[in-house]
Amino acid sequence: YHQKICLHCDKVNRKSSHICHNGGIYKRPFKESFEETPMLVAVLTYMGYGILTLFGYLRDFLREWKIEKCHNATEREEQKDFVPLYQDFENFYTRNLYMRIRDSWNRPICSVPGAKFDILERVSYDYNWTFKYTGRIVNDVINMGSYNYLGFAENSGVCADAAAEMTLKYGVGVCSTRREIGNLDKHEELEKLVAKFLGVEASMAFGMGFATNSMNIPALVGKGCLILSDELNHASLVLGARLSGATIRVFKHNNMQSLEKLLKDAIVHGQPRTHRPWKKILILVEGIYSMEGSIVHLPDIIALKKKYKAYLYLDEAHSIGALGPTGRGVVEYFGLDPRDVDIMMGTFTKSFGAAGGYIGGTKELVDYLRTHSHSAVYATSMSPPVVEQIITSMKCIMGEDGTTLGQERVQQLAENTRYFRRKLQEMGFIIYGNDDSPVVPMMLYMPAKIGAFGREMLKRNIGVVVVGFPATPIIESRARFCVSAAHTKEMLDTALNVINEVGDLLQLKYSRHRLVPLLDRPFDETTYEENED
Amino acid sequence: MASGQQWVLVEMVQAFYEAPAYHLILEGILILWIIRLLFSKTYKLQDSSDLTEKEIEEIIEEWQPEPLVPRMSKEKPAPSYNIVSGPPCHKITVNGKQCINFASFNFLGLLDNDRVKNQALQSLRKYGVGTCGPRGFYGTFDVHLELEDRLAKFMRTEESIIYSYGFATIASAIPAYSKRGDIVFVDEAACFSIQKGLQASRSHIKYFKHNDMEDLERILKQQELEDQKNPRKARVTRRFIVVEGLYMNTGAICPLPELVKLKYKYKVRIFLEESLSFGVLGQHGRGVTEHFGVNIDDIDLISANMENSLASVGGFCCGRSFVIDHQRLSGQGYCFSASLPPMLASAAIEALNIMEEDQDIFRLLRDKCKHIHKELQGILGLKVVGESISPAFHLQLEQSSGSRESDVRILNRIVEYCMDRKIALTQAHYLEKEEKFLPPPSIRVVVTVEQTEEELEMAANLIKEAAQNILQ
């Protein structure tokens, strides 16, 4: 139940959506909404989980007494007297709830993950315990699930040609670490380009986005430091924070008052028990939170960081390339100076159609990481064709390849996002997040609807991603759409019609704030209060 | 019914009148106390701040954090990387000098193989470069499934699972099984990724001396005695031994048959890290299990990275379905990270094809290792550390000059000497402050199948020369 107290406007916001201006820090209206769960829906969802749990216990009982066949793989005969590898209750959720709707996940595809893709059809004759491939391929399924924001996942075109050339010239592997003999000239070129793209002094690239966080946060902070991390941070940030050995304190999601309170307490009281002052304070936030679709309140955080002399680590995994008038990320979206963010981290997987991560910052920071990062000394460097794909796509976004293709894509993404979100809200679904975020979570709530939504959409040739517990709170399961610049208006319209149909079929239109349908005029910044309750 | 209730009420009122005074007073005080507790402020664990607003502001003003990164001193500038221009294959161009590559882990010479490159190219033309999603959300491609299948068949296990980064493989696998309260017995010379996996798992770690089975048995016995004191806890504490097939830090091979014996005697599970031994040891390149003839089902989990022999990127774990399937939902590097780019998976499949077709390269590689190992024996000042069949072994200083820094500098001079004369070597680099048991500084020499006998001779002679010139 979200009751948002806006830090700037100083009034309790009883409506679930809020727009704030804060006299100048926010240069454009910052509109985000997290509508409260309707009471009836919450009750029914809990009941649903209760019934599933009861059935789960019943099935476990039947399996133990061998009345029902057990499909689980079992321990070897020779090792039956070892301590069991898994505890039974740990896997209760997996066995009894996840297994029943398992076909919504891990769907194998066999084409480019572009705007449309081909899915391998699979069937299960034993209720999802095992899958068999029928051999048929479902062609041209509209892709609303892959993180392909700027549409660079393609197998032809400038980027693919450059990567192909690099494959033949350099090969695919590197077989050594950056510190030893795996530092290719291509890596240096990439790092200079990334620094230029972000507007920072220097940058360093790594082979895996997850590992970028988990290997570099321990290199920057250690014992005696404090990490203030957002409630809904990604697993890689949490792992990196844990491995560093610093004290971790969590503040409520995007809540600046909570963060300020923690900062004040930390500086005034120092370390617990000894009251020695903290060595460093590091704030960990993400640009776009992929499960909520919310954008971080960056101007507020930078103001707080400057006041309390903390350091800011910004993880732009989803927002780089996707936000901002030229795709430079959340810093450009708010019109701020990249030098205010101490450590800018991001990944190349989402908007650049490649793999890997980067960290950008001052030259001192990057020089330090080159010697002290775990990845530079122990992990293999990035593969050359992947590096080339990043270089080409980044040049395209920056406009350095001589075309306006990159700029067009960034604008197309912004338009698609606004259109898609608007239409879904008009239809009456509950959509979370900021109006400008290309990640669109749509609430499903009930466990049975998770499986039903995934399956019905696939039947109608749309591939969507559904998420439930434990990635989200237990009653807030959702479907998450990722809008891409590669989607044409026709594709979005088809998808929207299908979502409308399925939404009526499964009764997903929970929203109590109906938007007045706009005439087809471009989104005008003078229109605000359009909700009718 | 109503009369019954009324009757109870009358009884209550009567009791109230008949109760002694002190009883009523005591109850009254208790009720007032409860009301007071309900309305008083919550008890704060942290000392309540009786500082004034002004004092708080002052403290905030005064506090100065350390700089984000420590300043690099001017006398010791950060060592710069070697820049390799062009592909890092057999003939490599390092810092502008053309050399023969004795430093990349390209054991089977597949980095420059045309078949592998063409297969990767075909895959690129079909799938593009990136996968744009984790395995759970449309990031599973048919090539991933094929590669997992092929690896499982090659290693003769039930199932295998692929990761997109070699370092993350064992570092995600260990915390998926071993949690807080479990016990892990690990070799002192374990590589850094194992150490990070152990740190993430929060289990009790017990180190045993490198390759010393007696030491391991000693601590296993100790653990058994402790278990007898607390059998209830022992019944739920899982135990693991983590060893490497071919140790990266010392070039030694782990004694697998003894380990399997200890496994059944003390009921511990074995996790085997085979990054260097996959594609090197064994008649068909299946690793240390084939080398010793151990039944592969006796090992609970085998983890390896595809960045050495397979000349691709990424890693895999293989074993029985009972063990491996768990990682699909609880391996952090698998669930929360984008999947391996399909062209790299295709390259790995083609490399596996080549490994299966040409069985002779393994024996060839071992012969070359033995050759150069013999040649490098007896150099004054340098000792060879590693098995004779290990393709990645170390050259350490026989006598340390006193400080690690000066040792590193001497070895660096040897490396530079060799690089100037067309042999590319590298020192083994470690993060000195982060390693649990820091190995002594050394030069790592890597033998690949592509090196000819003349090149091996040349390298050995050059190293002897360098040692003579610099160490004498």
Side-chain angles (χ1 to χ4, degrees), chain A residues 75-76 79 83 85-86 107 109 147 155 161 172 180 183 185 242 279 309 311 353 370 378 380 464, chain B residues 61 63 66 68 81 84 125 130 132 136 138 140 200 238 263 269 297 307 322 344 431 435 444:
Chain A
E75 180 67 276
R76 282 174 84 200
Q79 293 180 210
V83 176
L85 192 53
Y86 315 115
R107 289 184 178 152
I109 73 177
Y147 303 135
N155 56 2
D161 289 335
V172 157
E180 293 178 10
N183 183 39
D185 45 0
R242 264 185 45 211
K279 288 195 203 153
K309 296 189 257 288
Y311 298 113
R370 289 187 126 204
Y378 293 106
T380 314
V464 297
Chain B
E61 277 289 317
W63 179 70
E66 280 181 9
L68 182 58
Y81 290 167
V84 173
R125 287 296 177 199
C132 298
Y138 303 112
T140 305
R238 295 174 277 242
K263 165 184 168 157
R269 296 173 198 266
D297 281 334
E307 293 160 357
F322 176 70
L344 300 174
L431 278 176
E435 288 262 0
R444 189 187 290 124

Side-chain angles (χ1 to χ4, degrees), chain B residues 30 45 60 98 104 113 119 128 142 159 184 191-192 227 229 261 264 272 283 286 288 317 330 427 447 461 466:
Chain B
L30 278 174
L45 281 171
I60 294 175
Q98 254 249 353
S104 303
N113 188 299
Q119 193 66 22
D142 44 357
E159 200 176 326
V184 184
C191 66
F192 196 71
D227 285 344
K229 285 185 209 149
K261 279 200 209 100
Y264 286 109
L272 187 59
Q283 198 197 4
R286 294 199 177 98
V288 74
C317 285
S330 56
Q427 274 198 59
V447 181
N461 289 335

Side-chain angles (χ1 to χ4, degrees), chain A residues 26 131 156 174 224 340 354 387 457 509 533:
Chain A
Y26 286 80
F131 289 110
S156 57
V174 180
D340 281 335
V387 172
M457 293 297 281
K509 297 187 178 172
D533 281 324

Side-chain angles (χ1 to χ4, degrees), chain A residues 378, chain B residues 186-192 194-196 198-199 203 205-207 249 430-439:
Chain A
Y378 293 106
Chain B
V186 107
D187 192 300
E188 278 181 355
C191 66
F192 196 71
I194 296 182
Q195 288 175 29
K196 284 294 136 188
L198 293 170
Q199 194 185 353
S203 323
I205 322 278
K206 301 206 160 120
Y207 289 95
N249 293 343
Y430 306 103
L431 278 176
E432 290 163 15
K433 297 203 185 70
E434 308 269 342
E435 288 262 0
K436 270 249 151 41
F437 296 95
L438 187 60

Side-chain angles (χ1 to χ4, degrees), chain A residues 311-337:
Chain A
Y311 298 113
L312 179 60
Y313 185 106
L314 178 65
D315 178 342
E316 291 206 80
H318 287 267
S319 53
I320 191 75
L323 286 183
T326 58
R328 301 296 211 263
V330 71
V331 173
E332 197 196 20
Y333 175 75
F334 286 113
L336 298 168
D337 187 0

Side-chain angles (χ1 to χ4, degrees), chain A residues 164-165 167-168, chain B residues 116-126:
Chain A
E165 206 187 299
T167 317
L168 290 174
Chain B
V116 171
K117 285 189 194 174
N118 282 329
Q119 193 66 22
L121 194 62
Q122 271 181 27
S123 185
L124 169 65
R125 287 296 177 199
K126 187 172 174 201

